[in-house]
Amino acid sequence: MDINWFPGHMTKTKRKIEKDLKLVDAVVEIIDARIPVSSRNPDIAKLITNKPRVVLLNKCDIADEKATQLWVDCFKNNGIAALPVDCKSGKGINQFVPLLRKQLSEKIDRLKSKGMINPCMRVMIVGIPNVGKSTFINRISKKNKAVSADRPGVTRGNQWFTIANCLEMLDTPGVLWPKFEDRTTGEHLAFTGAIKDNIMDIELLAVRLLELLKELKPPMFISRFKLEDVDLDNTESDKLLEIIGKKRGMLISGGEVDRERAAIMVLDEFRSGKFGRITLEYPEN
Ligand code: G4P
């Protein structure tokens, strides 16, 4: 599957992030809880050196709860603070500021010991497309209306808003590029909607997703498409797309199944969590 992410685009976004990173004391990395490996930028550690970091496992409302907890523990074991959140409903967001403060406490204490009273900290959001960066910023900025301008001497054009006492956030997120290391990563990004559909073969993608769903057999997938009478283990995914299209009455003239429409529907329903809470990637141990 070809994924369009031009090197030129990547260089431009990287430069912008490097510039913004100089302005902040900590970084908040948002990833998709359904694909914590594929939705992480491969160069994140190199980009953020020596800065406290918080990982937000977003969309936890549509990820498997147990898997998300395994990921939180996994990050913790690797010395990274992680928090599951659902930016759509706001679940988990209340724990964000206390966790961030904890990561910043060493720096704050250091500055205080040097005589600074109430040192103010600045943070920025980073993440690959579609992980929920804007949703998070909207949610947290609505709760905290006060917007402050740039400090003198700092790049013009940046808007900061106060998220808590002496804690400010940059209102534009850093858009990172995903990794394109292997076919599985590309597919997982595409299944979850991180990659635009118009650059992919939508039918092929849906067939690949059905391959996975056939293995996982989520009960809600089976009941939504009334597949109780289908022997999933012995049905080709290509055929399964036809069966699903027919069951939903997606036919074109001549009685043939409209495969493209059926493919779009399968992908849409998966992306919006209609087949239940499904995590595609688990920690190794
Ligand atoms: P980005 O800035 O990182 O590119 O992501 P953005 O906030 O635009 O969110 C991408 C999609 O993910 C949006 O859906 C958004 O509603 C959805 N989303 C964000 N956070 C969550 C979450 O915690 N749970 C779930 N289930 N979805 C989340 P969309 O289909 O593009 O738009 P819409 O459905 O909001 O209209």
Side-chain angles (χ1 to χ4, degrees), residues 58-59 61-62 86-88 128-135:
N58 191 32
K59 309 198 185 188
D61 56 312
I62 47 176
D86 162 7
C87 291
K88 238 179 173 172
I128 68 161
N130 200 53
V131 287
K133 298 178 296 299
S134 315
T135 313

Side-chain angles (χ1 to χ4, degrees), residues 26-194:
V27 179
V28 179
E29 182 192 357
I30 304 192
I31 61 175
D32 185 326
R34 296 168 299 171
I35 50 165
V37 179
S38 301
S39 62
R40 285 197 93 188
N41 171 273
D43 303 319
I44 190 83
K46 275 181 260 157
L47 278 169
I48 315 166
T49 45
N50 300 325
K51 278 190 207 287
R53 203 184 333 169
V54 170
V55 168
L56 295 182
L57 287 145
N58 191 32
K59 309 198 185 188
C60 71
D61 56 312
I62 47 176
D64 181 85
E65 215 170 350
K66 283 197 194 104
T68 303
Q69 190 51 51
L70 288 176
W71 277 112
V72 171
D73 297 341
C74 176
F75 278 112
K76 206 170 157 189
N77 292 340
N78 286 293
I80 300 172
L83 178 71
V85 287
D86 162 7
C87 291
K88 238 179 173 172
S89 75
K91 201 172 158 216
I93 305 272
N94 282 348
Q95 291 169 55
F96 168 66
V97 169
L99 187 64
L100 183 62
R101 274 203 202 285
K102 209 170 147 198
Q103 308 314 305
L104 283 162
S105 61
E106 216 176 280
K107 183 165 187 178
I108 294 172
D109 290 347
R110 208 169 49 237
L111 292 170
K112 278 186 178 166
S113 72
K114 284 184 185 163
M116 204 183 262
I117 304 155
N118 261 350
C120 277
M121 297 284 113
R122 289 189 149 180
V123 299
M124 73 177 286
I125 303 293
V126 298
I128 68 161
N130 200 53
V131 287
K133 298 178 296 299
S134 315
T135 313
F136 177 76
I137 290 176
N138 280 345
R139 183 162 280 283
I140 204 146
S141 65
K142 258 185 214 128
K143 264 174 59 181
N144 307 276
K145 285 257 164 52
V147 173
S148 58
D150 268 340
R151 287 188 195 133
V154 174
T155 328
R156 275 165 182 272
N158 283 326
Q159 284 279 319
W160 301 86
F161 57 88
T162 306
I163 54 171
N165 187 28
C166 278
L167 210 47
E168 291 184 342
M169 184 174 278
L170 186 60
D171 77 336
T172 43
V175 183
L176 295 167
W177 54 97
K179 54 182 154 197
F180 307 117
E181 276 157 17
D182 51 48
R183 176 172 159 167
T184 310
T185 303
E187 282 182 357
H188 286 184
L189 288 166
F191 293 160
T192 52

